[in-house]
Amino acid sequence: MGGRPYVLSEVTLSASRTTQYEVAILPWGATEPHNLHLPFGTDSLQAEAVANEAARLSWEAGARVIVLPTIPIGANAQQLGTPVTLNLDPSTQAQILADVAASLESHAIRKLLVLNGHGGNDFRQMIRELQPRTSIFLCASNWYTVADPGGFFDVPGDHAGELETSVVLHLAPDLVRPLSEAGPGRARVFSIGGLRDGTAWAPRDWKSVAADTGVGNPAAATAEKGRRYFLTVATKLSEFICELAAADLEDLYIEDPGAAS
Ligand SMILES: [Zn+2]
């Protein structure tokens, strides 16, 4: 009996004393509405489930990996117009990340992967700032960009669309309202052309974008699509985690094998 050896909140002190973890995974989600049919915790539960499954596969392959407790609040300043969204400013997130990294440092865990589940979270600039100040190797991944969704979904969607709805139907079907209750997820776009074509970027004010908060129609979502995509993502991620666990941090660069000679 006992909890999963790669999920920190299920591990006991005795188990932790006999294991030197090589890689920690920090799932990071959000608390925000997801159209009318998915729960507020969608981004957190997805990131956590992907982390746990990728860690299970990695552990079974011999990598000593540990999933840290999920941070359930994301960068959501542009969603505060919709109830009952919660927000952590990026500067607050950076402080949390720094404190988690410092904690790991004192336990000689040398590698940290932030596994992000929310489009408004962006850990790259935080890592640029923090990396020179810590001995831990920091990296980040958005679970929903690990595998190309092209072969899995008709129109994946950005937020509470076919992709996310399918994955939650697979992971937690009891938390999904009937799809007949969902809005169409029709998003409005910026009136300024250059903000539509990528000339410039600005965050979107969510309440002006989508009446149901969704971006992408969930109508074609199924649990089977979600299962196939979820397993593909977890498998690919576990291959990365195993490689990261085995990597020598003093020797991280090689000649590009793809470069023309
Ligand atoms: Zn989401």
Side-chain angles (χ1 to χ4, degrees):
M1 289 297 286
R4 293 170 287 184
Y6 47 84
V7 177
L8 182 56
S9 51
E10 300 180 10
V11 165
T12 60
L13 178 61
S14 53
S16 74
R17 278 179 169 152
T18 55
T19 308
Q20 181 55 56
Y21 304 107
E22 298 158 319
V23 176
I25 307 174
L26 181 64
W28 205 311
T31 300
E32 59 172 357
H34 273 72
N35 201 324
L36 306 175
H37 62 293
L38 294 182
F40 274 62
T42 291
D43 290 353
S44 302
L45 82 86
Q46 291 178 130
E48 182 169 320
V50 171
N52 286 344
E53 179 63 9
R56 184 183 72 79
L57 295 168
S58 305
W59 186 274
E60 286 176 1
R64 289 299 160 254
V65 53
I66 191 79
V67 179
L68 310 182
T70 303
I71 309 290
I73 304 178
N76 278 82
Q78 279 69 42
Q79 281 89 351
L80 290 175
T82 56
V84 179
T85 301
L86 304 179
N87 172 56
L88 286 182
D89 281 333
S91 53
T92 313
Q93 294 182 302
Q95 189 60 57
I96 292 171
L97 183 61
D99 287 353
V100 171
S103 304
L104 298 176
E105 212 166 15
S106 58
H107 308 307
I109 300 173
R110 302 284 318 280
K111 299 154 183 171
L112 172 61
L113 167 64
V114 182
L115 187 63
N116 178 40
H118 168 59
N121 293 340
D122 189 343
F123 296 98
R124 289 175 297 182
Q125 298 302 79
M126 301 176 202
I127 288 174
R128 285 184 196 281
E129 185 171 337
L130 180 57
Q131 186 63 87
R133 302 175 190 168
T134 176
S135 63
I136 293 180
F137 178 78
L138 304 166
C139 56
S141 170
N142 301 321
W143 75 263
Y144 45 84
T145 58
V146 166
D148 179 3
F152 296 88
F153 306 101
D154 301 339
V155 184
D158 250 10
H159 181 74
E162 186 183 336
L163 186 158
E164 276 200 302
T165 303
S166 295
V167 172
V168 182
L169 278 170
H170 166 56
L171 295 174
D174 292 350
L175 297 180
V176 183
R177 301 288 307 164
L179 295 188
S180 58
E181 295 181 11
R186 227 180 342 256
R188 302 177 79 210
V189 296
F190 276 116
S191 58
I192 300 169
L195 290 173
R196 292 197 301 274
D197 69 14
T199 303
W201 174 87
R204 295 173 289 182
D205 173 40
W206 219 254
K207 69 179 182 320
S208 306
V209 168
D212 52 33
T213 80
V215 176
N217 194 333
T222 69
E224 176 57 18
K225 289 180 185 176
R227 187 188 68 80
R228 287 179 51 233
Y229 185 63
F230 173 83
L231 292 177
T232 300
V233 170
T235 301
K236 192 165 171 209
L237 202 56
S238 79
E239 289 164 7
F240 165 69
I241 292 164
C242 289
E243 212 179 352
L244 179 62
D248 176 357
L249 291 179
E250 308 307 320
D251 189 20
L252 281 179
Y253 299 89
I254 58 170
E255 292 300 326
D256 183 356
S261 56

